[in-house]
């Protein structure tokens, strides 16, 4: 303000002085002599005095202005965060700020008065002087950049002028812009990287301004697909490329996109390309908003799906025929679209997964994968990756938990990869089938094969074991006869006889388990069997286990095999004992159950009453995984060497052979209750047993054939004691030779079935050739019912299973001999 007013005042004063001088001069013209001279000199000295005063005032104001300007400059230096130096025209430092003082290691006072060359190095001084001279000459600010020690600086030289516009001071500023340059470089690199990514996205990618609808980004793939270069597209709207109607339709779709704030998926559009002509494209548009929620951009992706559309059309021709065939076989279809990661499924596929079918029959892939059990997902992903990358066969079996009911099912999925003309994966089409039942059948087949092997082994064991029991039983009966006068010893012999009979029951149970034998069913009382089992409990149960009996029926009569039922209860009792290592309560109970109630648990229950026979314990119980396996052969939770894993499998077989059902209720640490359900008999009393009188003695001749010497001698002694004449043979060949020579004398042949060189069946066949009416009884340690029936049909008079009592064979002999031919 001072600078602008000062010249005006000077002019006013000079004008006044000149005016006064003119007045005085004019007055002197009218004066004379001395007065005129005096007035002239007065005018001259008035002008000179006024001029001097004016010039003195001007100098003082100039000095004040200069001091004010310098004060402002000092203030600016101190306020600047840059390194700042104030110098005069001779490069003398007048002032510096703290930043300069700290960088050069001086105090601000020490630096003032120094020359610029005293603090700057030669190179730096030369750089500054190039621009200092320009500022002094031109009076304009100069800006330049320098670099030193991997740092970058922006330098400025500002002129400071006096009231006459002369440069009297210079302001030097230096700013470190290294980080700024690095940031700008990084920004450029990121921008270039982003542009490279955009150009390499394998679909058309574009960005529009939300307000003007002008294209801001147009990638290389768009250029190749549409034949429109980025130079042509950027800054233009759709009106520049498509007909007016088409442009208007696109504008409306963009309006809807921005208004509803949702991603818009346009599955199929027909467009005109400069390169490919008419083609089908799939477009996805995404609205982009700023922090205030205002629309800024429209991001879009377009993909050429012409080849995919063609593939769909071709598939559609056979789709209906395939659907009908698969529905008939209960095979579901599915398709995985790589572009959308959506999984399409047929109605059958949705049903297999337990999913509710959507309107378009599609679901996101990740939603369907959640149904797959966790341990199978990695295997499915690996198979899918191998299919895409290596072309391997996609054939995977995996478990699912059905969505609607959570049921675990085994599923088989097969798939085939479809590619486009460029060889890129387009989609996978495949089939889906529930193979739970098939897997169950396969498991049952494996189990059946195991049981078949066990049965073969059991048959051999039964034959040898029963032969041994036959020797023991026969010897015991002979002892009882010989010691008829010593009745005190009979109870010991009877114990031996009873033991052999129980041994026979064991082999029968093993054969029943292996499905090679059937129970001999007769009317029996379950309450009586429970009483017998209770009596035996005292021999093997520890004293800390309490036995309770709860009989809710009078007799509980069923058609069954008492030996088998006895064994089933014993097996369950032993398991209960092992489940209560620290004691507890073991309860046997029997009650009546109606078939209607039972059918809620077992679908194939026949009408009528059932007897429920239960064994309960208060032991450790079982979890669900153990409960599902308890009837599997060889499965056991006992320590190694303490369990065969056959106990419950045998119980299960016994129950099934009686047309019954078995169920278990158990919880961990809450005990277990096994319940066997058997069809009940209508009658309440057991049928009376018919007694057989002792058979008469005989006098016929019997040919006895057996490879076991003890059995031959034992049976020979018994037959001789009964009045029969006996011939002995140790094998089939020897027996055939004796029969050849004594056929007229021999009334009956008793032969073992399994013998070396020639077994009993071959011997019988050869004897029939010699004598069609020959009477033959065959005995064996093991023989299933089918073989027995077949032998009887071929002419064998009777078939006996070892071990047998002498009374049994005596009745059989008399029955055959007394029957005639």
């Amino acid at each position: 303000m001072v600078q602008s007013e000062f010249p005006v005042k000077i002019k006013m004063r000079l004008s006044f002085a000149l005016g006064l001088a003119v007045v005085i001069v004019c007055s002197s013209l009218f004066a004379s002599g001395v007065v005129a001279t005096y007035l002239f000199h007065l005018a001259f000295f008035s002008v000179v005095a006024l001029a001097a005063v004016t010039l003195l005032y001007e100098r003082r104001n100039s000095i004040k202005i200069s001091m004010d300007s310098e004060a402002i400059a000092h203030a600016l230096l101190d306020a600047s965060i840059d390194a700042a130096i104030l110098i005069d025209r001779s490069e003398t430092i007048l002032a510096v700020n703290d930043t300069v003082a700290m960088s050069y290691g001086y105090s601000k006072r020490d630096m003032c008065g120094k020359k610029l060359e005293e603090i700057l190095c030669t190179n730096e001084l030369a750089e500054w002087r190039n621009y200092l001279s320009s500022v002094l000459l031109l009076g304009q600010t100069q800006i330049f950049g320098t670099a030193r020690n991997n740092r970058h600086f922006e330098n400025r030289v500002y002129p400071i002028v006096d009231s006459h516009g002369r440069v009297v001071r210079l302001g030097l500023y230096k700013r470190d812009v290294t980080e700024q340059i690095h940031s700008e470089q990084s920004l450029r690199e990121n921008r270039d990287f982003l542009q490279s990514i955009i150009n390499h996205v394998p679909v058309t990618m574009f960005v529009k301004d939300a307000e003007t609808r002008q294209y801001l980004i147009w990638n290389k793939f768009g250029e190749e697909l549409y034949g429109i270069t980025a130079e042509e597209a950027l800054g233009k709207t759709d009106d520049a490329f498509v007909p007016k109607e088409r442009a208007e339709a696109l504008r409306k779709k963009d309006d809807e996109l921005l208004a509803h704030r949702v991603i818009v998926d346009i599955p199929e559009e027909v467009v005109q390309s400069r390169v490919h002509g008419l083609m089908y494209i799939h477009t996805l548009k995404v609205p982009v908003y700023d922090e205030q929620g205002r629309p800024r951009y429209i991001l879009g992706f377009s993909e050429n799906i012409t080849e995919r559309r063609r593939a769909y059309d071709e598939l559609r021709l056979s789709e209906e025929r395939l659907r009908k065939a698969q529905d008939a076989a209960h095979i579901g279809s599915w398709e995985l679209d790589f572009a959308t990661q959506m999984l399409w499924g047929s109605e059958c596929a949705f049903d297999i997964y337990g999913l509710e079918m959507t309107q378009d029959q599609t679901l996101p892939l990740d939603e369907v994968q959640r149904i797959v059990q966790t341990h199978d997902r990695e295997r499915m992903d690996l198979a899918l990756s191998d299919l895409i990358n290596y072309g391997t066969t996609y054939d995977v079996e995996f478990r699912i938990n059905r969505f609607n009911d959570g049921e675990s099912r085994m599923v088989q999925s097969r798939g085939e990869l479809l590619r486009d003309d460029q060889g890129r994966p387009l989609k996978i089409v495949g089939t889906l089938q529930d193979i739970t039942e098939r897997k169950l059948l396969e498991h049952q087949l494996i189990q059946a094969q195991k049981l078949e092997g066990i049965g073969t082994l059991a048959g051999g064991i039964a034959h040898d074991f029963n032969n041994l029991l036959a020797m023991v039983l026969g010897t015991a009966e002979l002892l009882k006869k010989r010691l008829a006068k010593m009745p005190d010893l009979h109870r010991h012999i009877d114990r031996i006889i009873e033991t052999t009979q129980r041994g026979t029951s064991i082999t029968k149970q093993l054969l029943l388990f292996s499905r090679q034998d059937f129970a001999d069913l007769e009317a029996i009382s379950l309450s009586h069997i429970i009483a017998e089992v209770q009596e035996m409990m005292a021999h093997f149960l520890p004293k800390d286990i309490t036995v309770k009996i709860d009989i809710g029926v009078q007799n509980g009569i069923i058609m069954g095999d008492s030996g088998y039922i006895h064994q089933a209860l014993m097996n369950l009792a032993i398991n209960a004992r092992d489940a209560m290592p620290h004691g507890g309560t073991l309860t046997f109970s029997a009650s009546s159950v109606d078939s209607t109630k039972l059918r809620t648990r077992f679908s194939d229950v026949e009408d009528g009453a059932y007897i429920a026979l239960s064994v309960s314990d208060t032991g450790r119980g079982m979890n669900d995984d153990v409960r599902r396996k308890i009837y599997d052969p060889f499965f056991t939770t006992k320590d190694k060497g303490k369990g065969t894993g056959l106990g419950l499998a045998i119980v299960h077989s016994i129950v099934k052979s009686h047309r019954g059902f078995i169920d278990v209720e158990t919880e961990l640490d809450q005990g277990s209750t096994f319940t066997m359900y058997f069809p009940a008999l209508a009658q309440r009393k057991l049928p009376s047993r018919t007694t057989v009188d002792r058979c008469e003695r005989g006098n016929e001749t019997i040919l006895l054939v057996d490879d076991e010497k003890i059995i031959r001698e034992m049976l020979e002694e018994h037959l001789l004691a009964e009045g029969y004449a006996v011939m002995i043979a140790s094998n089939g060949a020897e027996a055939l030779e004796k029969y050849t020579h004594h056929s007229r004398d021999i009334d009956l042949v008793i032969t073992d079935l399994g013998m070396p060189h020639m077994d009993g069946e071959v011997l019988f066949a050869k004897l029939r050739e010699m004598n069609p009416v020959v009477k033959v009884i065959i005995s064996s340690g093991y023989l299933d019912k089918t073989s027995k029936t077949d032998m009887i049909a071929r002419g064998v008079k009777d078939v006996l299973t070892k071990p047998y009592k002498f009374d049994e064979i005596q009745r059989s002999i008399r029955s055959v001999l007394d029957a005639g031919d």
Side-chain angles (χ1 to χ4, degrees), residues 139-157:
Q140 296 178 350
T141 300
Q142 296 291 316
I143 302 174
F144 63 97
T146 58
R148 185 167 284 104
N149 298 327
N150 295 323
R151 307 296 296 180
H152 298 271
F153 302 93
E154 180 184 85
N155 308 291
R156 297 173 183 267
V157 182

Side-chain angles (χ1 to χ4, degrees), residues 616-789:
S616 303
D617 65 69
T618 57
R620 292 176 297 212
M622 296 173 280
N623 58 34
D624 289 341
D625 185 54
V626 172
R627 183 180 56 80
R628 284 191 292 268
K629 301 176 182 178
I630 55 176
Y631 302 121
D632 292 349
F634 308 112
F635 174 77
T636 179
T637 58
K638 298 177 183 178
D639 295 336
K640 187 175 181 180
K642 293 187 177 181
T644 63
L646 294 176
L648 289 177
I650 291 175
V651 172
H652 186 268
S653 298
I654 290 173
V655 173
K656 290 301 179 183
S657 70
H658 286 69
R659 296 185 298 112
F661 306 91
I662 187 170
D663 192 15
V664 61
E665 295 180 6
T666 181
E667 287 186 30
L668 281 177
D669 301 322
Q670 299 297 319
S672 302
T673 298
F674 285 87
T675 303
M676 299 175 287
Y677 300 94
F678 301 103
L681 284 182
Q683 64 266 34
R684 293 297 182 182
K685 294 183 179 180
L686 290 175
S688 58
R689 295 181 177 270
T690 56
T691 57
V692 180
D693 296 335
R694 175 174 173 79
C695 296
E696 297 180 357
R697 290 166 56 83
N699 55 9
E700 291 88 351
T701 300
I702 299 174
L703 174 58
L704 180 60
V705 188
D706 202 303
D707 59 324
E708 292 288 350
K709 180 180 179 182
I710 296 176
I711 293 178
R712 291 197 308 269
E713 292 176 349
M714 174 188 65
L715 191 53
E716 179 185 17
E717 182 176 347
H718 169 72
L719 293 176
L720 290 174
E722 293 296 325
Y724 298 101
V726 181
M727 294 184 183
I728 299 297
S730 60
N731 55 63
E734 183 182 350
L736 192 61
E737 181 180 358
K738 288 191 175 183
Y739 192 84
T740 301
H741 293 91
H742 305 283
S743 58
R744 292 187 178 182
D745 301 326
I746 296 174
D747 300 293
L748 176 66
V749 178
I750 302 176
T751 179
D752 188 24
L753 181 62
M755 297 181 295
H757 307 304
M758 182 186 297
D759 62 23
E761 284 195 80
V762 176
L763 174 60
F764 169 69
K766 291 186 177 295
L767 291 175
R768 284 290 296 263
E769 292 176 2
M770 298 172 60
N771 179 12
V773 295
V774 64
K775 296 180 178 179
V776 177
I777 296 175
I778 290 181
S779 66
S780 175
Y782 163 68
L783 195 64
D784 60 71
K785 286 192 173 183
T786 303
S787 298
K788 291 180 181 180
T789 303

Side-chain angles (χ1 to χ4, degrees), residues 20 70 128 155 168 260 262 318 332 413 418 440 472 487 543 577 626 774:
L20 180 61
E70 191 167 326
W128 280 98
N155 308 291
V168 294
H260 293 91
V262 294
S318 58
S413 181
L418 298 181
L440 181 60
V472 174
K543 296 187 180 300
R577 177 200 64 186
V626 172
V774 64

Side-chain angles (χ1 to χ4, degrees), residues 349-385:
F350 274 84
D351 181 62
I352 290 173
Y353 278 121
L355 292 165
E356 184 176 349
M357 192 163 64
T358 59
Q359 186 174 2
D360 59 357
Q361 296 184 233
T362 63
L363 283 172
L365 176 62
D366 57 353
E367 184 175 336
V368 177
Q369 286 180 329
R370 287 202 303 268
I371 302 173
V372 180
Q373 293 186 2
T374 305
H375 57 275
D376 284 342
R377 291 179 191 171
E378 184 177 349
R379 188 158 48 85
M380 288 183 65
D381 292 341
L382 180 61
L384 186 62
S385 175

Side-chain angles (χ1 to χ4, degrees), residues 529-538 547-549 588:
I529 294 176
I530 291 176
E532 293 174 358
V533 171
Q534 181 186 12
E535 184 180 347
M536 295 188 63
M537 294 296 103
V547 178
K548 291 184 177 181
I549 304 297
F588 293 90

Side-chain angles (χ1 to χ4, degrees), residues 395-664:
D395 189 348
V396 187
E397 294 180 0
F398 54 92
R399 283 197 172 275
I400 64 170
N401 293 323
R402 283 168 52 89
F403 186 82
N404 54 358
D405 55 18
E407 182 182 357
S408 176
R409 306 291 293 178
M410 177 65 76
V411 175
Q412 181 180 38
S413 181
R414 293 188 175 98
E416 182 177 345
L417 181 65
L418 298 181
R419 300 179 182 270
D420 60 18
D421 290 344
Q422 286 74 42
R424 293 171 299 194
L426 186 65
K427 63 191 299 187
I428 298 179
V429 296
T431 60
L432 190 72
Q433 187 173 15
D434 188 333
I435 58 171
T436 307
E437 282 70 27
R438 191 183 81 190
K439 283 295 181 180
L440 181 60
L441 290 175
E442 289 176 359
H443 176 72
Q444 291 174 346
L445 177 60
I446 293 173
Q447 294 299 99
Q449 290 173 339
K450 287 182 181 179
L451 293 176
E452 184 178 356
I454 295 172
T456 301
L457 177 64
I461 293 174
H463 180 273
D464 294 341
F465 188 58
N466 284 337
N467 272 338
L468 294 175
L469 291 178
M471 299 175 195
V472 174
L473 180 60
T475 302
E477 288 196 309
L478 287 177
L479 281 173
K480 191 173 183 179
K481 286 184 177 182
R482 292 289 182 89
L483 301 174
K485 296 181 180 180
M486 304 176 64
D488 292 342
L489 296 178
H490 285 188
R491 61 188 183 90
H492 300 295
I493 297 174
D494 288 340
R495 191 172 297 160
I496 294 174
I497 293 173
E498 182 181 353
T499 301
T500 58
Q501 289 175 332
R502 290 198 178 277
T504 303
S505 176
I506 293 174
T507 58
K508 288 178 66 178
Q509 291 155 17
L510 186 60
L511 292 171
L512 174 68
F513 164 70
S514 64
R515 305 297 196 272
Q516 295 199 33
D517 202 0
F518 300 92
D520 294 323
L521 304 183
E522 59 181 355
I524 59 174
S525 170
L526 293 180
S527 57
H528 294 168
I529 294 176
I530 291 176
E532 293 174 358
V533 171
Q534 181 186 12
E535 184 180 347
M536 295 188 63
M537 294 296 103
H539 300 296
F540 71 88
L541 285 181
K543 296 187 180 300
D544 56 359
I545 293 180
T546 303
V547 178
K548 291 184 177 181
I549 304 297
D550 181 13
I551 305 297
V553 291
Q554 185 175 357
N555 288 311
I557 299 173
I558 66 168
M559 288 298 294
D561 186 304
S562 59
Y564 286 161
I565 301 299
H566 184 278
Q567 185 63 33
L569 289 174
M570 289 295 295
N571 286 357
L572 293 175
I574 291 172
N575 279 354
R577 177 200 64 186
D578 296 339
M580 298 183 290
H582 305 297
T585 302
L586 175 62
T587 303
F588 293 90
S589 61
S591 61
S592 179
V593 179
D594 186 72
S595 59
T596 303
K597 181 178 179 181
L598 190 58
R599 197 173 286 115
T600 60
R601 300 187 64 84
F602 304 100
S603 59
D604 53 344
V605 171
E606 298 177 358
D607 292 337
Y610 280 77
I611 302 299
L613 187 58
S614 299
V615 178
S616 303
D617 65 69
T618 57
R620 292 176 297 212
M622 296 173 280
N623 58 34
D624 289 341
D625 185 54
V626 172
R627 183 180 56 80
R628 284 191 292 268
K629 301 176 182 178
I630 55 176
Y631 302 121
D632 292 349
F634 308 112
F635 174 77
T636 179
T637 58
K638 298 177 183 178
D639 295 336
K640 187 175 181 180
K642 293 187 177 181
T644 63
L646 294 176
L648 289 177
I650 291 175
V651 172
H652 186 268
S653 298
I654 290 173
V655 173
K656 290 301 179 183
S657 70
H658 286 69
R659 296 185 298 112
F661 306 91
I662 187 170
D663 192 15
V664 61

